[in-house]
Amino acid sequence: MISSYVGENAEFERQFLSGELEVELTPQGTLAERIRAGGAGVPAFFTPTGYGTLIHKGGSPIKYNSDGTVAITSKPREERVFNGRNYIMEEAITGDFALIKGHRADEAGNVTFRLSANNFNQPMASAGAITIAEVEEIVPVGSIPPEDVHVPCIFVDRIIQRTGHQKRIEKVTLLAEDADKKLSDSPRDRIIRRAALEFTDGMFANLGIGIPMMAANYISGITVTLQSENGILGLGPFPRAGQQDPDLINAGKQTVTILPGSSLFSSDVSFGMIRGGHVDLTMLGGLQVSAKGDLANWMIPGKMVKGMGGAMDLVGSPDYCIGIAMRSCPLSQLSYVAARNQNALALTMRSDVVARNQNPFTRVMRSEELTVQQEIKIP
């Protein structure tokens, strides 16, 4: 299996760590582009994502033995330098079958998606030798305006209409009734207040789940457009009870809303925005951060495998600032990491690679470093 994120799928993680399943973990934006390239007849491409990590150097576990030792590891990627930047080569992905899920299809096989449900479906449709589309509704030819077609019929071989299906929401996330209350002086809330100071007017920003996303509650007096890797530009607040929609979720699978002027698109387009440097700021959490700013946030070898998701794509892009919001941990642990000046866990980002690739800065936030003057005033 080739995947980018295991997430909260405990059975998937158990099978992988016990050696029952072979898994090639790959950055989510790279996965989207590998699929798109496969459907477009491009055998390989170069990307900055993952340079300097296990994805580039090889050695990432693909299969474990039953005793927990590693049986198969990933191979190193070819590297090249273009215009002074470091890139690694990734090969395209195609499949015998592509299974996609759409909202509506006409009898010719043209398919549309609803809200944020496009994600990987659109590039996936072109990468299969046989593509099967499951849709909620099949309509006569001509019922879908040509400009509304997301997947042209040339890519679709079979259409199945599903019946009696109830859409499930994995993470119903609602706007709390006390959302306007003041934060406490806990280390976690101090980080949230400090992180909010990084926003500037007119910025496009991508926020990770948890602390980074909560910082958006303190955007005041400026306009910041939030982007989500699964294909949303113009994220709004979490919905209130009764307003949640199973077809409108963010990259963390949380229910969300969208603002006037927002746009929706596929995952390969979304990561093109990120990789192309069109997003001004990303803020994400980490398991471990070194004194240099190296970041590890996706795997504890042999113990925990969540996958890197889109993190490597976000931190490896060329022209925008990176804010790393780090949950407070014991000072002894911080000094240990700082003394070693490197991470014990699998890296998501190497700070020296980021510097060579001309990112303006990497900022590490810890509650111990925050002062009253740095904190945002809460109305």
Side-chain angles (χ1 to χ4, degrees), residues 161-238:
Q161 183 174 4
R162 63 178 179 267
T163 58
H165 174 75
Q166 185 176 4
K167 292 183 179 178
R168 184 172 62 91
I169 302 176
E170 285 193 50
K171 295 183 180 179
V172 178
T173 309
L174 303 176
L175 188 66
E177 295 298 328
D178 60 352
D180 296 330
K181 288 187 177 180
K182 291 184 178 181
L183 291 172
S184 71
D185 197 44
S186 68
R188 182 174 183 270
D189 289 347
R190 288 165 66 89
I191 292 176
I192 293 171
R193 287 193 293 251
R194 176 60 187 85
L197 296 177
E198 296 299 317
F199 298 120
T200 60
D201 191 34
M203 174 178 280
F204 292 96
N206 182 292
L207 306 181
I209 61 175
I211 288 175
M213 186 62 74
M214 292 184 69
N217 293 332
Y218 296 91
I219 297 173
S220 178
I222 59 175
T223 299
V224 176
T225 303
L226 301 182
Q227 193 252 22
S228 184
E229 304 99 286
N230 62 319
I232 304 175
L233 187 64
L235 275 173
F238 295 126

Side-chain angles (χ1 to χ4, degrees), residues 172-348:
V172 178
T173 309
L174 303 176
L175 188 66
E177 295 298 328
D178 60 352
D180 296 330
K181 288 187 177 180
K182 291 184 178 181
L183 291 172
S184 71
D185 197 44
S186 68
R188 182 174 183 270
D189 289 347
R190 288 165 66 89
I191 292 176
I192 293 171
R193 287 193 293 251
R194 176 60 187 85
L197 296 177
E198 296 299 317
F199 298 120
T200 60
D201 191 34
M203 174 178 280
F204 292 96
N206 182 292
L207 306 181
I209 61 175
I211 288 175
M213 186 62 74
M214 292 184 69
N217 293 332
Y218 296 91
I219 297 173
S220 178
I222 59 175
T223 299
V224 176
T225 303
L226 301 182
Q227 193 252 22
S228 184
E229 304 99 286
N230 62 319
I232 304 175
L233 187 64
L235 275 173
F238 295 126
R240 295 196 180 274
Q243 296 179 335
Q244 64 268 27
D245 189 315
D247 285 332
L248 191 54
I249 60 172
N250 63 18
K253 301 182 181 180
Q254 298 169 308
T255 48
V256 294
T257 62
I258 51 177
L259 300 175
S262 62
S263 54
L264 302 161
F265 32 85
S266 59
S267 292
D268 57 317
V269 172
S270 181
F271 280 102
M273 295 176 184
I274 294 165
R275 195 183 308 109
H278 304 289
V279 178
D280 301 302
L281 171 81
T282 186
M283 199 176 292
L284 69 163
L287 293 171
Q288 194 177 66
V289 181
S290 78
K292 298 186 301 181
D294 303 316
L295 169 68
N297 77 342
W298 64 279
M299 179 175 67
I300 301 175
K303 294 183 179 180
M304 185 202 76
V305 181
K306 296 300 181 187
M308 68 288 291
M312 282 190 185
D313 305 274
L314 288 162
V315 299
S317 297
D319 297 320
Y320 63 89
C321 305
I322 301 171
I324 301 172
M326 180 176 171
R327 185 183 294 271
S328 179
C329 58
L331 286 173
S332 59
Q333 180 180 343
L334 287 175
S335 60
Y336 168 74
V337 176
R340 289 192 54 178
N341 212 33
Q342 63 184 19
N343 289 59
L345 305 180
L347 285 180
T348 306

Side-chain angles (χ1 to χ4, degrees), residues 10-291:
E11 178 59 20
F12 187 112
E13 187 175 33
R14 184 198 67 77
Q15 289 186 26
F16 178 40
L17 293 177
S18 64
E20 299 173 32
L21 190 65
E22 291 186 21
V23 179
E24 178 191 341
L25 288 167
T26 188
Q28 195 165 105
T30 297
L31 179 60
E33 192 65 14
R34 289 176 70 183
I35 294 168
R36 190 205 66 80
V42 177
F45 59 91
F46 284 90
T47 176
T49 301
Y51 184 91
T53 70
L54 287 178
I55 301 300
H56 168 209
K57 300 297 185 180
S60 178
I62 290 179
K63 188 177 189 301
Y64 285 93
N65 294 309
S66 58
D67 62 0
T69 58
V70 178
I72 303 173
T73 61
S74 63
K75 296 179 180 179
R77 304 289 204 271
E78 180 183 337
E79 61 180 88
R80 294 278 295 276
V81 176
F82 297 96
N83 299 320
R85 293 200 67 219
N86 299 295
Y87 294 80
I88 60 175
M89 191 181 79
E90 295 283 358
E91 297 184 7
I93 298 172
T94 57
D96 296 321
F97 292 90
L99 309 178
I100 67 171
K101 184 175 288 188
H103 174 58
R104 181 180 292 118
D106 65 19
E107 293 168 341
N110 296 302
V111 178
T112 66
F113 305 105
R114 183 173 177 271
L115 298 176
S116 65
N118 189 328
N119 51 71
F120 272 77
N121 284 296
Q122 189 168 343
M124 191 74 73
S126 65
I130 297 175
T131 296
I132 303 171
E134 179 188 41
V135 297
E136 299 173 30
E137 182 183 9
I138 299 176
V139 297
V141 172
S143 300
I144 302 175
E147 65 270 22
D148 291 344
V149 172
H150 294 121
V151 175
C153 61
I154 193 170
F155 296 121
V156 179
D157 301 284
R158 313 263 202 283
I159 308 170
I160 298 173
Q161 183 174 4
R162 63 178 179 267
T163 58
H165 174 75
Q166 185 176 4
K167 292 183 179 178
R168 184 172 62 91
I169 302 176
E170 285 193 50
K171 295 183 180 179
V172 178
T173 309
L174 303 176
L175 188 66
E177 295 298 328
D178 60 352
D180 296 330
K181 288 187 177 180
K182 291 184 178 181
L183 291 172
S184 71
D185 197 44
S186 68
R188 182 174 183 270
D189 289 347
R190 288 165 66 89
I191 292 176
I192 293 171
R193 287 193 293 251
R194 176 60 187 85
L197 296 177
E198 296 299 317
F199 298 120
T200 60
D201 191 34
M203 174 178 280
F204 292 96
N206 182 292
L207 306 181
I209 61 175
I211 288 175
M213 186 62 74
M214 292 184 69
N217 293 332
Y218 296 91
I219 297 173
S220 178
I222 59 175
T223 299
V224 176
T225 303
L226 301 182
Q227 193 252 22
S228 184
E229 304 99 286
N230 62 319
I232 304 175
L233 187 64
L235 275 173
F238 295 126
R240 295 196 180 274
Q243 296 179 335
Q244 64 268 27
D245 189 315
D247 285 332
L248 191 54
I249 60 172
N250 63 18
K253 301 182 181 180
Q254 298 169 308
T255 48
V256 294
T257 62
I258 51 177
L259 300 175
S262 62
S263 54
L264 302 161
F265 32 85
S266 59
S267 292
D268 57 317
V269 172
S270 181
F271 280 102
M273 295 176 184
I274 294 165
R275 195 183 308 109
H278 304 289
V279 178
D280 301 302
L281 171 81
T282 186
M283 199 176 292
L284 69 163
L287 293 171
Q288 194 177 66
V289 181
S290 78

